[in-house]
């Protein structure tokens, strides 16, 4: 059985002080939540401070992005080794805001995914369709193209160690949540695709998170789907009580 991963994407929010307070509040309750894995992803400038606030608690630290090169003249970028150096174990890659606002392509995400894995970071690779793509019946095609492009050239073992996040773009930050059936359909398709591209054991091992307006009141239904292995949470991860409530839904379902 795959352990739920409950991940918070803080996006470009918090201050040094409020981020440390938020992480500290989550860390304080992590002991009761050990049936699930917890991950917080603050803005990169606050990673070290958040790591200090987490202390020894069982809360993993992730970044929201990185560059694929190891070092050098890449002004404004941070590398996988730098993220590891400040205590990250995970990095979100290809979030829809990076794809659609900052113009990242599957090829960019693929380079970053390979660099993250080479450095020993766990990539959380995001895929998801736009509303017009869903309405045109292209969801499966879009997801397949993003999956193939973003994970091209990886071994089965590397894929098994990667987290995939299905985030329908129309559900991110909009309050419009995919129905549990809509989420499960894409998650099951993704798992089938992984089995076809790699093998059944890899497909069984990969954790596929759902993201898009996950809140305490819809978490149980979403996490209750067979192929939903956790959540990538934006807005609700900024309130410790909401993030913990979603994690508790995962704890209950793990019993
Ligand atoms: C996200 O940031 O990945 C996300 C899903 O945001 P929200 O939960 O606010 O929709």
């Amino acid at each position: 059985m795959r352990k739920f991963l409950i991940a918070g994407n803080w996006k470009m929010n918090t201050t040094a002080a409020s981020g440390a307070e938020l992480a500290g509040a989550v860390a304080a309750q992590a002991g009761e939540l050990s049936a699930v894995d917890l991950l917080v992803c603050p803005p990169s400038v606050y990673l070290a401070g958040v790591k200090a606030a987490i202390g020894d608690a069982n809360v993993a630290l992730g970044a929201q992005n990185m560059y694929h090169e190891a070092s050098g003249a890449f002004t404004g970028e941070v590398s996988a080794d730098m993220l590891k150096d400040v205590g990250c174990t995970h990095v979100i890659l290809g979030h829809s805001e990076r794809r659609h606002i900052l113009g990242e392509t599957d090829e960019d995400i693929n380079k970053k995914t390979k660099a993250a894995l080479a450095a020993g970071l766990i990539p959380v690779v995001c895929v998801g369709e736009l509303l017009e793509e869903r309405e045109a019946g292209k969801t499966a095609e879009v997801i397949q193209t993003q999956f193939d492009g973003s994970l091209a050239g990886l071994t089965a073992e590397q894929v098994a160690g990667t987290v995939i996040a299905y985030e329908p773009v129309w559900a991110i930050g909009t309050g419009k949540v995919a129905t549990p059936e809509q989420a499960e359909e894409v998650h099951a398709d993704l798992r089938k695709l992984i089995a076809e591209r790699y093998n059944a054991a890899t497909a069984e091992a990969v954790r596929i998170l759902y993201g898009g307006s996950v809140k305490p009141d819809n978490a149980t239904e979403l996490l209750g789907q067979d192929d939903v292995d956790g959540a990538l949470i934006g807005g609700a991860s900024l309130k410790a009580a909401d993030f913990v409530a979603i994690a508790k839904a995962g704890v209950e379902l793990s019993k």
Side-chain angles (χ1 to χ4, degrees):
M1 167 126 182
R2 295 174 295 270
K3 193 173 179 183
F4 285 121
L5 172 61
I6 307 298
N9 172 16
W10 297 1
K11 309 195 188 192
M12 200 170 72
N13 292 299
T14 71
T15 62
S18 71
E21 193 184 328
L22 175 56
V26 172
Q29 296 182 72
E32 306 154 38
L33 305 170
S34 59
V36 302
D37 288 333
L38 299 170
L39 168 66
V40 292
C41 303
S44 60
V45 288
Y46 300 143
L47 284 166
V50 166
K51 177 72 186 163
I54 291 169
D56 292 335
N58 221 350
V59 180
L61 184 71
Q64 300 172 16
N65 181 38
M66 53 165 262
Y67 195 57
H68 66 273
E69 295 284 356
S71 64
F74 305 104
T75 302
E77 298 292 343
V78 295
S79 71
D81 282 339
M82 291 173 184
L83 297 181
K84 283 204 77 177
D85 199 24
V86 292
C88 288
T89 50
H90 293 68
V91 58
I92 299 171
L93 296 175
H95 189 278
S96 76
E97 287 146 19
R98 297 213 58 88
R99 289 178 183 269
H100 298 294
I101 301 174
L102 294 147
E104 277 188 18
T105 64
D106 288 330
E107 199 183 347
D108 297 327
I109 297 156
N110 184 234
K111 284 186 203 158
K112 292 179 184 203
T113 302
K114 286 176 173 162
L117 286 164
L121 286 173
I122 299 171
V124 179
V125 177
C126 304
V127 296
E129 81 287 2
L130 297 165
L131 183 60
E132 55 265 37
E133 291 167 337
R134 173 163 283 269
E135 287 174 348
K138 290 187 175 161
T139 300
E141 184 189 321
V142 169
I143 300 299
Q144 184 169 322
T145 302
Q146 291 180 347
F147 176 89
D148 284 339
S150 305
L151 277 71
L154 266 56
T155 64
E157 198 185 354
Q158 286 176 316
V159 173
T162 296
V163 176
I164 311 288
Y166 167 56
E167 299 208 303
V169 180
W170 47 272
I172 298 179
T174 59
K176 278 187 208 156
V177 63
T179 64
E181 294 74 25
Q182 284 173 322
E184 174 59 19
E185 186 182 17
V186 176
H187 282 233
D189 277 357
L190 265 167
R191 209 174 296 287
K192 224 170 90 191
L193 184 64
I194 298 166
E196 278 166 26
R197 297 286 191 267
Y198 300 91
N199 54 57
T202 303
E204 277 307 303
V206 175
R207 287 195 284 192
I208 308 176
L209 314 185
Y210 169 78
S213 299
V214 178
K215 309 279 180 228
D217 65 0
N218 59 29
T220 298
E221 261 199 310
L222 288 161
L223 293 174
Q225 302 302 304
D226 285 352
D227 290 291
V228 176
D229 307 316
L232 182 55
I233 307 152
S237 72
L238 294 171
K239 287 192 191 142
D242 285 358
F243 185 70
V244 166
I246 294 167
K248 279 186 179 159
V251 170
E252 284 305 311
L253 288 162
S254 305
K255 283 181 181 164

